[in-house]
Amino acid sequence: MSHDRTPREGGTDSGNGPRATLERTWTATVVGGRDVLRDPVLVGLLVVLPAYFVGVWGWIVPDEEIALEVAAGNGTEDVIATFPELIGAVIAPVTGALVAGIAALFLVQRSRAVDSRLLAVGYRRLEVLAARFGVLAAVAAVVVAVSTAALAIHLVPENPVWYVLALALAAGTYGAIGAAIGTVLGRTAGVYLLLFAPMLDVVILQNPLADPPGWAGWLPGHHATELAASAAFATDVASSHAGWALGYLAAVALVAAVAAILRW
Amino acid sequence: MTDVANRQGVAVGAAIRSFFREPTNLALLVVLPPVVIVGFDLALEAFVGVPGMDPDPAAGELGGTLFATAFLAGLLGVFQVVGAAGPDRRLVVCGYRRWEVLLARVLTIVLVGAAVALVAFATFFVLSDIEPASPVRAVLALIAAAVTYGLLGVIVGALIGRELEGSLVLVFLADLDSFLAVGAIPVDTWIDEYLPLVRPYVLLESAIHDGTLPVGDVLEATLYALVLLVLALGIVSLRGESP
């Protein structure tokens, strides 16, 4: 299906300059955001589920000290942490990954009809994409904020800013993966994948206690989780993981964008 | 009685046909259980030898098989209740009683869950080095997991009534359950005694290793499923709409 760039009568395409592009993108983002806010159950779950998940995991594991080796700016650092601190530090990124991934899957599928109409009235594909990513970023930001607040019950990260960045990167990466999956798979298969993938990746394979196989370093949660563990426990953060995680996020976001464009 | 059976046959047949008509559902059934079983096994291998976190060597494969079966049934439960609201209303208009419609949904979940259990067990049988002592009992344990999660999905779907929100609730429940039921992560609480997959996992372990199904655990798993069934019936009835 092709979409010409000529605005139809009554359309929203009032110009081609950067200002018009920003206005159109902002309008579509606001409308998408209102759609999420109009659903109080979803908003409630975006707040309650991360709080419950991070809180309950930190509560049920034994309060014992364990020795860990985490990534640091100059290699690795040996630290002592309690089990609730460790599990909290690992569960918070996976919480963002789960919520952002599944929300992205459904938001992409729900918005197909709206996206087609926006394209028909003269929106550019990039504007529609930017609007969808904007809504997803807002969802991820809420989840990251709630997860960080809930984590404070069990752990105050050594480097809070880096830790929040790590959570945002984990949520963003799996959000982009969810958006890509949403364009090619149905809801059952998509939710099924987006449940198992973050849990196996972040909680099990990237866990600082684990001795994972080499290929685990290529998984989407690797750099974000390494950064999270480093920011939570090391005095000198392994900031190189932030760069790699950003690169990974950019790559999967590109894949999601291409998948969406091909679908349109 | 024959009328009820006939109507059930028609409703269940239609629901199963509509499930298997979707190519992605068929792919899901065939491809994802092996992926999950292998993924669980590889993932738990990473913890072998970690002090305080040393899981049973078979836990990865058994847990993966159990969870692949259970979670798919749970999702079916959510989507059957939420997504099938329109067709169900039409069934009621055509003369079906509300409980008949719910029964048809539950039977659909049980039958598709049994199919998933068979595929998951076949995958386990092919991939694993473990020789199952009693394959039939192992499949029964997997069906118990499918029924339990299918009913949980019905409850979540009926309570929340939306697919995204229902999926999120089920995912967060299932995540906690999957790792605690198989003992992958040590816990210090009574919660793990009451999680939905605890009894089915014990049954699966016994069936695979000893070829038995301990009576006490069978009774507890049955009681758990019955309580969920009563809750599902109650919630769907109270909701006053189609199941």
Side-chain angles (χ1 to χ4, degrees):
Chain A
M1 182 176 170
S2 69
H3 301 282
D4 62 57
R5 291 288 312 113
T6 309
R8 285 162 174 74
E9 198 176 337
T12 56
D13 194 354
S14 54
N16 288 321
R19 187 183 167 84
T21 291
L22 277 177
E23 278 175 5
R24 282 193 298 268
T25 306
W26 177 247
T27 304
T29 309
V30 169
V31 171
R34 277 194 195 132
D35 205 32
V36 173
L37 288 174
R38 213 175 280 139
D39 187 347
V41 178
L42 176 57
V43 175
L45 288 176
L46 290 179
V47 175
V48 171
L49 285 179
Y52 139 79
F53 204 50
V54 175
V56 91
W57 269 108
W59 172 59
I60 60 177
V61 294
D63 191 16
E64 287 170 16
E65 288 193 335
I66 37 177
L68 304 172
E69 188 181 78
V70 294
N74 51 359
T76 58
E77 202 172 306
D78 292 322
V79 296
I80 301 287
T82 65
F83 221 114
E85 286 173 339
L86 170 66
I87 205 85
V90 175
I91 284 293
V94 86
T95 303
L98 282 167
V99 175
I102 293 170
L105 171 93
F106 278 89
L107 292 178
V108 162
Q109 293 188 344
R110 274 183 186 177
S111 65
R112 264 181 207 153
V114 178
D115 292 348
S116 299
R117 286 196 288 275
L118 288 174
L119 292 168
V121 297
Y123 268 66
R124 294 183 182 89
R125 288 168 171 157
L126 280 179
E127 292 165 353
V128 178
L129 274 175
R132 295 294 162 244
F133 282 136
V135 174
L136 284 176
V139 167
V142 171
V143 176
V144 166
V146 175
S147 302
T148 309
L151 181 68
I153 301 168
H154 309 295
L155 164 75
V156 176
E158 286 282 328
N159 307 277
V161 176
W162 284 106
Y163 189 80
V164 169
L165 176 65
L167 297 196
L169 288 168
T173 304
Y174 270 98
I177 290 172
I181 286 177
T183 57
V184 291
L185 285 185
R187 58 196 179 175
T188 315
V191 175
Y192 198 81
L193 269 182
L194 288 165
L195 160 72
F196 288 107
M199 284 303 280
L200 294 181
D201 177 11
V202 177
V203 177
I204 299 291
L205 289 167
Q206 314 300 342
N207 193 312
L209 284 179
D211 180 19
W215 52 262
W218 292 94
L219 293 176
H222 175 69
H223 294 291
T225 315
E226 288 280 314
L227 180 64
S230 181
F233 301 114
T235 47
D236 182 18
V237 178
S239 52
S240 62
H241 283 292
W244 284 108
L246 268 172
Y248 209 116
L249 170 57
V252 286
L254 183 66
V255 170
V258 170
I261 286 169
L262 289 177
R263 179 89 192 194
W264 290 332
Chain B
M1 194 64 194
T2 318
D3 277 356
V4 171
N6 284 342
R7 285 200 295 267
Q8 285 300 305
V10 171
V12 172
I16 289 178
R17 273 195 301 277
S18 101
F19 177 81
F20 285 109
R21 207 178 287 135
E22 283 288 324
T24 51
N25 284 343
L26 281 175
L28 179 76
L29 196 62
V30 176
V31 174
L32 286 183
V35 171
V36 171
I37 293 167
V38 171
F40 244 76
D41 192 34
L42 286 172
L44 287 189
E45 264 180 21
F47 285 106
V48 171
V50 174
M53 284 196 73
D54 204 2
D56 174 357
E61 288 169 336
L62 292 183
T65 309
L66 187 80
F67 199 48
T69 309
F71 188 65
L72 187 51
L75 276 183
L76 267 177
V78 172
F79 293 142
Q80 281 280 312
V81 169
V82 179
D88 287 351
R89 265 191 289 274
R90 285 194 286 278
L91 285 176
V92 171
V93 169
C94 292
Y96 275 72
R97 296 178 191 93
R98 222 169 276 287
W99 65 265
E100 285 180 310
V101 178
L102 177 64
L103 181 62
R105 291 293 164 209
V106 171
L107 285 176
T108 304
I109 293 163
V110 171
L111 290 174
V112 177
V116 177
L118 280 171
V119 172
F121 180 75
T123 310
F124 169 82
F125 191 76
V126 171
L127 295 178
S128 176
D129 296 332
I130 304 166
E131 185 74 32
S134 171
V136 174
R137 291 189 172 100
V139 171
L140 287 174
L142 291 174
I143 292 174
V147 170
T148 303
Y149 254 83
L151 288 169
L152 267 176
V154 169
I155 291 170
V156 169
L159 276 176
I160 294 180
R162 293 179 178 91
E163 290 175 339
L164 165 57
E165 293 80 347
S167 302
L168 281 174
V169 170
L170 196 70
V171 160
F172 278 86
L173 173 68
D175 270 336
L176 198 67
D177 196 8
S178 64
F179 289 102
L180 296 189
V182 302
I185 292 175
V187 294
D188 190 14
T189 173
W190 48 267
I191 285 180
D192 61 328
E193 280 298 305
Y194 299 97
L195 287 170
L197 283 183
V198 169
R199 296 298 150 221
Y201 182 70
V202 172
L203 292 176
L204 183 63
E205 260 190 325
S206 292
I208 295 286
H209 293 314
D210 315 324
T212 59
L213 289 178
V215 177
D217 290 306
V218 170
L219 287 176
E220 284 182 24
T222 309
L223 182 64
Y224 203 104
L226 280 174
V227 170
L228 290 177
L229 180 63
V230 170
L231 281 174
L233 282 167
I235 291 166
V236 169
S237 306
L238 282 176
R239 213 178 64 155
E241 296 166 18
S242 140

